[in-house]
Amino acid sequence: MRSSSIARGLRVALRAALDWLRGEVATWLRLLRWWPAWAALAGVLLGLTLAYQVPHTYAVDVGSAQDQLYVRNFHGRSEGETPSYRWSGVYSYVAFPGLGGGRPFTATLTLNPERTAPVTIIVNGETLFEGELQPGWQTLTLPVNEQHPGALASRDMVLEIRAPDYRTPDAPGQPKGVKLDSAVVEQEAVGGLITPAYSALALLSGGVLLFYLFVGRALMDFASLNRARSWALLSALSLGVTLAVLLAQSHVAVAAAASHLSVTLVSMILLFLAGNVIASRLVGRRDGAAHGLALCLALAFGVRYAGMALPQSVIIDMPWHMKWLRTLLAGDWQSLYFPGGLSAVPREWGLELLIPKSPLFYFAFAPLNLLPFDLETSTKWLICLLDATLVLAVFWLVLRVGGGRISAVMGAALYAFMPIAFRAFAYGILPTIFAQWLAVGTLVAFLALSGQRRRWMSWLAVTLLAALALVAFPTVAVFLTMVALASAALWWLMSRPRTVEWRVPLVLFGAWLLAVWGYYGLYISPMITSAQALIAPKAGGSTVRWPGGFADLLTWTADYVVTLLPALLAFLGLAFLLVRLRGKTAVGRSESVERTFWLLLAWASIAPAFLLVNYRVDMIGKHLFFTMLPVAAAGGVALWEFGRRGRWATALMVLAFGAIGWQALIFWVERLVRAST
């Protein structure tokens, strides 16, 4: 009987899935079966082709932070040397993807073999230089014209440098070729049509089509088919014009980003579809709130990944994390697990201090190496996805605290465009982002299970999850412990009748035992030893970090969070919730609402508490990163409370959210441009 009921349930689920799939396919076909969309796409393709006819000069300062788009199979950048350079390998490449073919150009290299050595330079498969070079910096100029038809016709320019194996005294285990300081490619101003890179045109026009489909599908949940098509077409045309203008300014930069545009949009579409299914379960039905949450999920991923994984983007800590990830993949897990270089603080801090930075992030992301994609890009994709899924946690928390579905969507949207989140991604503090994702899951699990007297297996699972969150990053472990204990205490004080919330501290105690036994125990003695010099005050030294006093700290904090608007909204949202909670009679109160409110209050209190700590000890802003989720949840409540109080209040709400989103995007773009130029 049981097996037949299971089979019947599977058939029903399969039939529902097929019905949903048919409906989605029909929706996409309605968007595609519209001739203006295809006419606009043809116009975009023509515009991109015309943009390719503008010649350019491309100069790569090899050894700078901006060379990562161009160099392949080179050694690391030189540090503190002038000029900056990279050592090539025995075979190394400087690539200018999507340069365009048919127009004569000149390639110029500034290099130094550092010894007498034969060097071969190959451009697009044709050998343009082969000879012996003397030590010292020198410039090679290589014209590519009608005398080299194969090299001239190639639409993606690749410059290959070959040199015999050379070992330097400082790195005897690394085969090196020559030092390369710069590579310049200058297209002639006249000389016939430039043949576009076909792959770049296909990917860019395909990206415009995907953008049309994404916008149209998102709007179809809120508007008629004709309006959705029209607004989607206008959006796609705007993107097409923007791409054509950018392509006219730089063929290489836009062509290199063409595949990234398509990957981002395909991911957003898939997340939107998956988000619709998940959101309908959270809401209980498919309506505007469910579609809005799905859109928040897709946009949260899109704005993060679009900037972080752009080929030209320079993410500050990314090389550091990829170094340790590749160290782990090489089999040297001991160098990550035991006290060593991973746990040393950056040299620019000027401290001899050991911090137990857990290798959990690297162990969790190591399986990405099995995928047939670039490891760094896959790492960025997954970390952006994990952080984007926290919009679901914000939505759930707002519903639990008694907010409506619209306010829950506003909270999710606020988290999607939280300005300080983009600072975390610009820094590239991936282990911290991963640890906070685990901590949010732990706190949400605490809240979901609070008040339940049984389900021991669930509490055991939360204990293991909490242990992982504690191990993932030390600072986040401190925050998680404080928030969980404070919430348990508030739940006990405010409940009627009072119940002892003994499960939360018991789970934390067990999680800490696992964390110390599994990892932190190795660091107790080394940390005490390394901290002794810092504990004892130095003679004549000041213990105040901020010369301008507490006002200086407040100014730094306000600049660090980009804008104080989310914090102000969170304060107002908590006030709204407290007034609503205190206004209810004891009979009308919901225990789950009260528990969620006190959890959010304890969580948001991390910011002012650690602001005081920052006056003496630098927490590097991580206490501010950890409060993004309660700020978004409470801020969503405040936005909705304003929005339903009349026309002017609605306008104020729209302006507040628009200002936050605009400041977030401007900050994100500005940080990426500053780091990449």
Side-chain angles (χ1 to χ4, degrees), residues 570-580 597:
F571 175 79
L572 294 174
L574 289 172
F576 278 129
L577 290 172
L578 181 61
V579 170
R580 184 190 303 170
F597 172 77

Side-chain angles (χ1 to χ4, degrees), residues 73-76 85-89 92 112-115 166 168 176-180:
N73 199 35
F74 276 77
H75 293 279
Y85 64 88
R86 284 181 186 260
W87 273 104
S88 71
S92 292
N112 177 8
E114 207 174 73
R115 83 282 186 197
Y166 176 63
T168 56
K176 296 179 177 178
V178 299
K179 292 178 179 178
L180 184 64

Side-chain angles (χ1 to χ4, degrees), residues 45-61:
L45 188 59
L46 176 61
L48 295 174
T49 303
L50 294 175
Y52 246 109
Q53 306 311 310
V54 182
H56 287 286
T57 297
Y58 303 95
V60 182
D61 182 10

Side-chain angles (χ1 to χ4, degrees), residues 150-164:
L152 185 62
S154 179
R155 297 175 296 277
D156 293 297
M157 189 267 197
V158 178
L159 190 152
E160 180 181 353
I161 302 173
R162 296 182 182 180

Side-chain angles (χ1 to χ4, degrees), residues 619-634:
M619 297 303 294
I620 325 175
K622 286 188 170 57
H623 63 288
L624 300 173
F625 292 136
F626 191 64
T627 58
M628 288 188 293
L629 193 135
V631 165

Side-chain angles (χ1 to χ4, degrees), residues 56-324:
H56 287 286
T57 297
Y58 303 95
V60 182
D61 182 10
V62 180
S64 69
Q66 293 75 44
D67 67 358
Q68 64 182 19
L69 174 63
Y70 306 94
V71 297
R72 307 287 187 273
N73 199 35
F74 276 77
H75 293 279
R77 303 183 183 99
S78 61
E79 295 184 6
E81 296 188 46
T82 303
S84 61
Y85 64 88
R86 284 181 186 260
W87 273 104
S88 71
V90 177
Y91 298 90
S92 292
Y93 308 88
V94 182
F96 295 85
L99 178 71
R103 179 69 62 90
F105 64 90
T106 301
T108 305
L109 300 178
T110 302
L111 49 80
N112 177 8
E114 207 174 73
R115 83 282 186 197
T116 302
V119 176
T120 302
I121 309 296
I122 302 172
V123 177
N124 296 338
E126 287 196 31
T127 301
L128 269 66
F129 176 86
E130 190 171 16
E132 190 172 78
L133 297 181
Q134 301 301 313
W137 288 105
Q138 51 205 283
T139 300
L140 295 180
T141 301
L142 310 172
V144 180
N145 48 36
E146 290 79 5
Q147 298 177 6
H148 306 281
L152 185 62
S154 179
R155 297 175 296 277
D156 293 297
M157 189 267 197
V158 178
L159 190 152
E160 180 181 353
I161 302 173
R162 296 182 182 180
D165 188 343
Y166 176 63
R167 306 296 173 110
T168 56
D170 60 331
Q174 298 180 3
K176 296 179 177 178
V178 299
K179 292 178 179 178
L180 184 64
D181 169 50
S182 68
V184 179
V185 172
E186 182 179 3
Q187 292 177 310
E188 292 185 3
V190 294
L193 294 176
I194 298 177
T195 305
Y198 300 143
S199 60
L201 288 185
L203 287 169
L204 290 172
S205 55
V208 172
L209 179 61
L210 288 171
F211 190 65
Y212 162 77
L213 292 174
F214 173 74
V215 175
R217 178 63 186 87
L219 292 177
M220 284 182 69
D221 296 321
F222 306 100
S224 65
L225 175 62
N226 288 334
R227 285 194 175 186
R229 283 172 170 172
S230 300
W231 283 106
L233 182 62
L234 180 62
S235 302
L237 283 174
S238 301
L239 177 62
V241 171
T242 301
L243 290 176
V245 171
L246 294 175
L247 188 63
Q249 295 175 353
S250 175
H251 307 163
V252 172
V254 177
S259 60
H260 171 65
L261 173 67
S262 297
V263 170
T264 302
L265 287 168
V266 168
S267 300
M268 291 175 65
I269 289 173
L270 294 177
L271 280 176
F272 178 75
L273 296 177
N276 260 314
V277 177
I278 298 171
S280 62
R281 302 236 173 203
L282 289 175
V283 174
R285 62 180 181 275
R286 292 187 181 180
D287 58 4
H291 299 314
L293 178 57
L295 186 59
C296 289
L297 177 63
L299 290 176
F301 172 84
V303 294
R304 285 158 173 77
Y305 184 73
M308 189 181 193
L310 192 69
Q312 294 87 348
S313 297
V314 176
I315 304 301
I316 297 174
D317 286 352
M318 202 69 203
W320 166 267
H321 297 309
M322 295 311 299
K323 165 196 167 184
W324 288 109

